[in-house]
Amino acid sequence: MLAYIIRRLLLIIPTLFGIMVVNFVVIQAAPGGPVEQQIAKIKGTAVAATARFGGGRQGELAGEGARGLGGYGAITSKYRGARGLDPEFIREIEKQFGFDKPLPERFVKMLGQFLRFDFGESFFRDRKVVDLVLDKMPVSISLGLWTTLLIYLISIPLGIVKAVRDGSRLDVWTSGVIIVGYAIPGFLFAILLIVLFAGGSYFDWFPLRGLTSPDWETLSWPAKIADYFWHITLPVLALVISGFAGLTMLTKNSFLEEINKQYVITARAKGLSERRVLYGHVFRNGMLIVIAGFPSALIGILFTGVLLIEVIFSLDGLGLLGYEAVINRDYPIVFGTLYFFALLGLAISLVRDLTYVLIDPRIDFESREV
């Protein structure tokens, strides 16, 4: 097992490299890069993803924009919207963003920084990417971990019960609930919860903004814990309602497939109790496919699944940070968060394989090629 872990750790290096190469090329080829964004701001035609940007390099360059305008209407540029700007001023913008260097040189420099976990500074926020990620991480980790934990705690037992009682009244009624969970997106559940319980039209039981109250620092520890769960209840509930359906059906189908196999029939014929058959034989085989989906589920909830929930409940987390960075072409944040989540996903995949062995010791990764 140790040799397999070492091979997997070494495999992370080329995998990360391939991910970064592909995404670097794709993002660099996308129109409307940071230079175009700055030009649009100077000329008053920029539309940001949100209204929370200001200062930093963008503000410094915008202050010099008037100097670059005027008298150059006939000069063409490779940047959209640059007509009428002084070419020297355009070169200053390129240098400010590091676009005065060739593409391969920029990529090699970025990789060198990432090896030191130096993700640079945001183009438009005047802060280091690491500081921004660390600031937003508690929100996303809170939502992601609690949501994933509750989804697994609900879906796995429910899926097992549905498989054991397949076709029963309980199975039919819970399938109706699952269909609703499949059909309605999480953000619609979030809006419904706000209308019902956050002062929308009926009850005003839960807050609408933030992860904690403004006076959180002054509260006692029991009050801090209660305040935290008070704020996070509705966002997590919206994510759980929309997320448990898929895992429940996956668990049910996995266990149904195992229950109908020959070794289960043989175990029953030997006189083993249903509980012994289910938890002694079926469980470890049926759980393998459920565990296989854990890394993608966690990463999806952390980065993409909570985006609209963060917007609706005014929670400033990593999903919203990444979305705004893509829209505003803030490349240091885009590549920094991409690197972070890719590395996290690869590490969780390794943990998943080790969990396979804990559940079913018959699995031997040593005899496999990575």
Side-chain angles (χ1 to χ4, degrees):
M1 178 56 68
L2 180 61
Y4 174 77
I5 294 174
I6 294 174
R7 291 200 305 269
R8 285 293 301 270
L9 291 175
L10 293 176
L11 186 62
I12 288 177
I13 299 174
T15 304
L16 268 179
F17 179 79
I19 292 172
M20 298 310 297
V21 168
V22 171
N23 285 277
F24 184 83
V25 173
V26 170
I27 292 176
Q28 294 291 334
V35 176
E36 287 93 334
Q37 295 279 340
Q38 184 60 42
I39 290 171
K41 179 174 177 61
I42 291 170
K43 302 187 76 171
T45 59
V47 179
T50 64
R52 294 182 293 161
F53 292 94
R57 301 185 209 182
Q58 196 175 30
E60 294 170 8
L61 289 171
E64 301 175 8
R67 179 175 62 81
L69 286 169
Y72 295 93
I75 296 177
T76 59
S77 172
K78 62 181 178 180
Y79 298 111
R80 182 186 304 175
R83 185 179 180 87
L85 291 177
D86 186 345
E88 282 297 325
F89 182 66
I90 298 295
R91 282 191 284 272
E92 287 181 20
I93 298 177
E94 290 180 329
K95 185 177 180 179
Q96 193 81 4
F97 291 121
F99 278 67
D100 57 330
K101 298 179 176 62
L103 200 66
E105 185 178 343
R106 299 207 306 269
F107 179 70
V108 171
K109 180 182 177 181
M110 183 188 74
L111 288 183
Q113 291 176 326
F114 281 14
L115 289 175
R116 305 189 304 270
F117 286 90
D118 177 12
F119 303 120
E121 188 174 308
S122 168
F123 284 161
F124 304 123
R125 292 174 181 255
D126 198 24
R127 293 187 62 192
K128 290 184 177 181
V129 174
V130 172
D131 294 337
L132 285 169
V133 171
L134 291 177
D135 283 348
K136 314 299 182 184
M137 193 178 295
V139 174
S140 295
I141 289 180
S142 293
L143 292 176
L145 288 182
W146 285 116
T147 300
T148 305
L149 177 64
L150 290 176
I151 286 176
Y152 270 74
L153 287 176
I154 294 172
S155 299
I156 293 177
L158 181 59
I160 294 175
V161 170
K162 285 175 66 62
V164 173
R165 302 184 182 183
D166 184 40
S168 67
R169 182 175 299 179
L170 174 65
D171 182 38
V172 173
W173 281 103
T174 53
S175 294
V177 176
I178 289 172
I179 290 173
V180 174
Y182 263 128
I184 303 179
F187 72 91
L188 288 182
F189 277 121
I191 295 173
L192 178 62
L193 291 174
I194 290 173
V195 171
L196 292 177
F197 303 114
S201 297
Y202 296 94
F203 305 102
D204 191 8
W205 292 348
F206 295 94
L208 258 181
R209 187 175 299 275
L211 201 60
T212 56
S213 298
D215 61 342
W216 189 79
E217 293 292 340
T218 64
L219 300 175
S220 62
W221 276 110
K224 285 182 178 181
I225 295 173
D227 182 77
Y228 167 76
F229 282 108
W230 182 46
H231 280 77
I232 207 173
T233 296
L234 292 187
V236 169
L237 185 58
L239 288 168
V240 169
I241 291 174
S242 61
F244 85 101
L247 184 60
T248 300
M249 293 308 299
L250 178 66
T251 304
K252 176 189 175 182
N253 293 334
S254 176
F255 274 78
L256 268 181
E257 182 180 355
E258 294 298 323
I259 287 173
N260 293 324
K261 287 184 177 179
Q262 185 63 43
Y263 75 89
V264 175
I265 299 175
T266 303
R268 286 170 175 166
K270 290 181 178 179
L272 296 180
S273 65
E274 284 296 317
R275 185 180 181 85
R276 178 72 182 276
V277 171
L278 180 62
Y279 294 104
H281 297 275
V282 175
F283 184 80
R284 64 183 181 184
N285 294 326
M287 283 297 295
L288 290 177
I289 191 172
V290 177
I291 293 173
F294 178 78
S296 58
L298 179 59
I299 297 300
I301 290 173
L302 280 173
F303 190 60
T304 57
V306 300
L307 172 58
L308 289 175
I309 300 299
E310 288 179 1
V311 174
I312 292 171
F313 289 97
S314 299
L315 300 173
D316 195 6
L318 289 175
L320 187 58
L321 175 68
Y323 170 75
E324 290 175 346
V326 170
I327 295 299
N328 294 285
R329 302 297 193 269
D330 199 339
Y331 290 169
I333 295 179
V334 172
F335 291 122
T337 53
L338 173 67
Y339 182 84
F340 171 77
F341 281 106
L343 186 60
L344 181 62
L346 292 171
I348 292 179
S349 295
L350 177 58
V351 174
R352 175 199 64 192
D353 289 347
L354 299 179
T355 309
Y356 276 158
V357 178
L358 292 176
I359 292 178
D360 191 349
R362 295 173 300 173
I363 296 177
D364 182 15
F365 288 110
E366 291 287 354
S367 61
R368 293 179 49 203
E369 294 293 331
V370 178

